[in-house]
Amino acid sequence: MMNGDNDDVGGFLNPGTKRGSDELLSQTGAVSNGSVMSPAPNHADNNNDAKKVKLDTKNPGAPSRVIHIRNIPNEVTEAEIVHLGIPFGKVTNVLVLKGKNQAFLEMSDEVCATTMVNYFTNCTAQLRGRAVYVQFSNHKELKTDQTHSNAQNPSAQAALQAAQALVNQTDTQGGPNTVLRVIVEHMIYPVTLDVLYQIFSRVGKVLKIVTFTKNNTFQALIQYPDVVTAQAAKMTLDGQNIYNACCTLRIEYSKLSNLNVKYNNDKSRDYTNPNLPTGDPALDSALAIGGAPGVLASPFAAMHGLSSPLTAAYGASPAGGMPFTGMPLAGVTPTAAALGAAGIRLPGQPSPNCVLLVSNLNEEMVTPDALFTLFGVYGDVQRVKILFNKKDNALVQMSEPHQTQLAISHLDKMKTWGKQIRVTLSKHQTVQLPKEGQPDAGLTKDYSNSPLHRFKKPGSKNYQNIYPPSATLHLSNIPPTVDEEQIKEAFTHAGASVKAFKFFPKDRKMALIQLGSVEEAIAALIKMHNFQLSDSSHLRVSFSKSTI
């Protein structure tokens, strides 16, 4: 017989006798939603140590549409609890008792709830790398009074609204599904099928992967055996960076429910059928007579265990599986071995180089400050040196190797001051400062302590707003005393022809300004970034992906 609401929170009795507590009702009898109420005197502190967590998962109790989830990490959000329920049906309410390491999820009906409990009875649920325990609650519904309603708890309300939107979506992507669509943004280093396999198989068994390029972005479709694993992968990996501040994973549900893989090679793979052909007739015939050394035609076969700091972080995860969401996965810098494995070739260099050679510059216009500002859009410039005997050439030292790749990909062959500049890796490891008394004429400058670095904070949001040079500039840090005409006049004075201007409707500190050409915008960014608009405000300028 169940012991209702007076179960002991901390001590669990023998299996089959009773379940752990539904620590749900406050002493007034009203449900406390989103806040922790005072426990009754006979309730022990719910630390859920290893011995206490041996719950009676094989006897989940009488069905109820309210589900009791235990042993949750302290920092878990309402959204994460709701995500556990989404694959099984409509979620109608949520309650997180953070101080008790417990949560409650109300489903639309008992059928959904029963499906969820049955699933997690055979397959342990995880939140942030910790095993959590799912069972029916003693309560038949989550009742809330006005004081503790979801209207008073914005995070719970937002989580429920997002869940509803996810269930209803049919246009841009499918609903919860076994197939995920993965887009890799800011792909500075190559990302391969094997890299994706390592990352996504840490969450659960990957059945199939298909990779392709669409709209100039690398994408993949990844199929899991069930909706719950796909849901966990989406929740855990969406927004994570494979390498430091680049190769960002954007994950949504695919409309496809099954992937049809015809070939096993470096573009597609069916892990349930290793006997598929590679699509290479010569290799397939060699395989047929046993003459080939391996099954796959992938040139990346040797990459396992090397390729990605994200996979390395997963391997170091305390749970040996899904990592804690708060793990600083994005803070790992690629090692030389990883870069080599990922196909980055750095001739003759023991480690990745941070120095760029910029050539075909306009000698009349170029200054160290101008190059600092332009290249500073793509990374933190440490030093600039215009060559004394060849002033249309300069060396630019960035703070990290991937920033040099960003600068090359965005600025090489860009028309700047009337000339198409070339940007390549330099053979130099560092930019040397002139020795005392050596003639330099101000051609070498050190910017290591500059306050204008855009990326000095780890994980800076500026990394998410890196775009190629465009005719439209994004302006920020505009004081309320400065109007549209003053800004347009300043740009016109700097030699730009202003075609359009628009303040952001919700934030007047920001605006877009459209100029006559990309070349004009490059020159305007160099002149106007850090332009003094008022006594205390300096303009911030970057390239925009939008147009007016």
Side-chain angles (χ1 to χ4, degrees):
M1 177 167 171
M2 296 295 171
N3 195 11
D5 302 319
N6 294 319
D7 293 350
D8 180 11
V9 176
F12 304 123
L13 300 186
N14 294 328
T17 310
K18 71 177 181 181
R19 290 180 290 154
S21 160
D22 277 17
E23 175 77 41
L24 188 58
L25 297 183
S26 66
Q27 294 179 2
T28 62
V31 170
S32 169
N33 200 344
S35 59
V36 180
M37 55 277 180
S38 301
N42 64 328
H43 284 159
D45 183 29
N46 182 23
N47 290 322
N48 287 333
D49 62 36
K51 291 180 181 177
K52 292 178 180 176
V53 173
K54 292 180 179 176
L55 303 184
D56 179 17
T57 53
K58 294 183 181 177
N59 183 18
S64 161
R65 67 190 184 99
V66 180
I67 290 166
H68 184 201
I69 303 164
R70 311 168 72 176
N71 196 41
I72 66 171
N74 289 329
E75 65 276 15
V76 156
T77 64
E78 282 86 353
E80 288 171 274
I81 299 297
V82 167
H83 271 94
L84 279 181
I86 286 174
F88 304 98
K90 184 179 179 183
V91 178
T92 52
N93 210 344
V94 62
L95 167 63
V96 176
L97 304 178
K98 293 187 178 180
K100 301 292 180 189
N101 298 97
Q102 301 183 30
F104 294 86
L105 202 60
E106 182 185 85
M107 305 298 287
S108 57
D109 55 56
E110 282 188 12
V111 175
C112 299
T114 302
T115 306
M116 180 175 173
V117 170
N118 287 345
Y119 181 86
F120 286 125
T121 299
N122 300 314
C123 168
T124 304
Q126 285 199 343
L127 286 171
R128 303 197 180 205
R130 180 191 284 191
V132 299
Y133 301 93
V134 176
Q135 60 192 63
F136 291 115
S137 167
N138 297 330
H139 303 276
K140 296 300 180 186
E141 62 181 331
L142 283 182
K143 290 181 180 176
T144 55
D145 60 16
Q146 287 183 332
T147 312
H148 299 110
S149 71
N150 273 329
Q152 304 295 321
N153 184 352
S155 57
Q157 193 176 25
L160 292 168
Q161 287 173 352
Q164 191 56 43
L166 189 62
V167 172
N168 290 339
Q169 66 189 325
T170 54
D171 298 335
T172 56
Q173 60 182 77
N177 189 358
T178 57
V179 180
L180 297 175
R181 179 170 172 241
V182 180
I183 298 171
V184 183
E185 296 179 349
H186 307 129
M187 197 171 87
I188 308 308
Y189 301 118
V191 174
T192 65
L193 182 147
D194 290 283
V195 169
L196 293 174
Y197 177 76
Q198 289 177 74
I199 293 168
F200 282 81
S201 62
R202 290 290 179 178
V203 181
K205 184 179 181 182
V206 173
L207 301 185
K208 303 172 186 177
I209 302 180
V210 175
T211 64
F212 55 97
T213 300
K214 185 177 179 182
N215 300 331
N216 291 324
T217 58
F218 179 76
Q219 302 189 25
L221 296 169
I222 298 176
Q223 183 172 343
Y224 282 106
D226 56 72
V227 174
V228 175
T229 310
Q231 174 74 46
K234 180 179 185 297
M235 192 169 70
T236 309
L237 295 171
D238 187 28
Q240 293 280 13
N241 296 327
I242 297 176
Y243 294 111
N244 187 25
C246 66
C247 301
T248 307
L249 298 171
R250 299 290 175 212
I251 303 172
E252 57 189 40
Y253 294 106
S254 169
K255 289 181 180 180
L256 300 172
S257 55
N258 183 53
L259 296 181
N260 182 21
V261 177
K262 294 179 180 178
Y263 303 111
N264 280 341
N265 53 35
D266 58 325
K267 301 289 184 208
S268 63
R269 196 93 38 100
D270 182 344
Y271 296 94
T272 66
N273 186 1
N275 299 319
L276 285 177
T278 65
D280 180 336
L283 190 64
D284 288 336
S285 61
L287 281 170
I289 59 171
V295 177
L296 301 176
S298 167
F300 307 107
M303 291 177 58
H304 285 292
L306 271 181
S307 44
S308 159
L310 182 55
T311 62
Y314 268 86
S317 167
M322 292 187 351
F324 298 103
T325 303
M327 270 183 86
L329 300 181
V332 189
T333 304
T335 63
L339 290 169
I344 303 292
R345 296 288 171 259
L346 302 161
Q349 301 297 345
S351 60
N353 197 349
C354 291
V355 180
L356 295 165
L357 172 64
V358 188
S359 54
N360 202 36
L361 288 159
N362 184 327
E363 292 183 37
E364 305 299 320
M365 301 293 292
V366 68
T367 64
D369 285 351
L371 292 176
F372 166 77
T373 302
L374 177 58
F375 282 79
V377 173
Y378 301 107
D380 291 339
V381 176
Q382 300 299 306
R383 291 176 181 176
V384 176
K385 184 185 199 75
I386 297 172
L387 302 191
F388 189 77
N389 296 321
K390 200 175 181 186
K391 292 188 174 59
D392 62 348
N393 280 248
L395 297 175
V396 177
Q397 182 176 331
M398 311 296 281
S399 63
E400 293 186 34
H402 72 87
Q403 295 175 354
T404 63
Q405 297 296 330
L406 276 172
I408 291 170
S409 63
H410 289 307
L411 294 178
D412 184 39
K413 298 180 184 172
M414 273 293 159
K415 200 169 182 185
T416 308
W417 301 305
K419 299 183 77 171
Q420 191 181 62
I421 66 171
R422 295 306 313 270
V423 184
T424 58
L425 275 176
S426 167
K427 64 181 180 181
H428 297 283
Q429 289 288 311
T430 58
V431 170
Q432 297 293 331
L433 292 174
K435 293 173 184 172
E436 261 189 73
Q438 188 177 332
D440 182 68
L443 296 177
T444 307
K445 285 189 77 170
D446 183 277
Y447 296 95
S448 55
N449 295 318
S450 171
L452 296 180
H453 287 157
R454 297 176 189 247
F455 308 103
K456 55 190 172 188
K457 291 180 183 174
S460 167
K461 284 187 178 178
N462 288 332
Y463 273 118
Q464 297 166 26
N465 298 308
I466 290 177
Y467 303 108
S470 60
T472 306
L473 297 174
H474 178 277
L475 313 179
S476 58
N477 206 37
I478 302 169
T481 54
V482 174
D483 61 21
E484 176 179 336
E485 289 307 314
Q486 289 171 278
I487 295 172
K488 285 161 70 173
E489 186 182 334
F491 274 82
T492 304
H493 187 70
S497 53
V498 178
K499 301 296 183 187
F501 181 92
K502 185 176 77 173
F503 277 111
F504 277 58
K506 292 182 180 177
D507 187 354
R508 205 188 157 285
K509 291 180 182 176
M510 296 193 291
L512 295 178
I513 188 166
Q514 193 168 322
L515 306 180
S517 67
V518 174
E519 187 181 355
E520 271 191 32
I522 290 173
L525 181 140
I526 289 169
K527 283 190 178 179
M528 297 301 295
H529 183 61
N530 203 41
F531 180 81
Q532 189 161 356
L533 288 172
S534 69
D535 290 342
S536 58
S537 295
H538 289 72
L539 188 65
R540 296 285 177 262
V541 185
S542 55
F543 297 114
S544 172
K545 66 172 178 178
S546 309
T547 54
I548 301 174

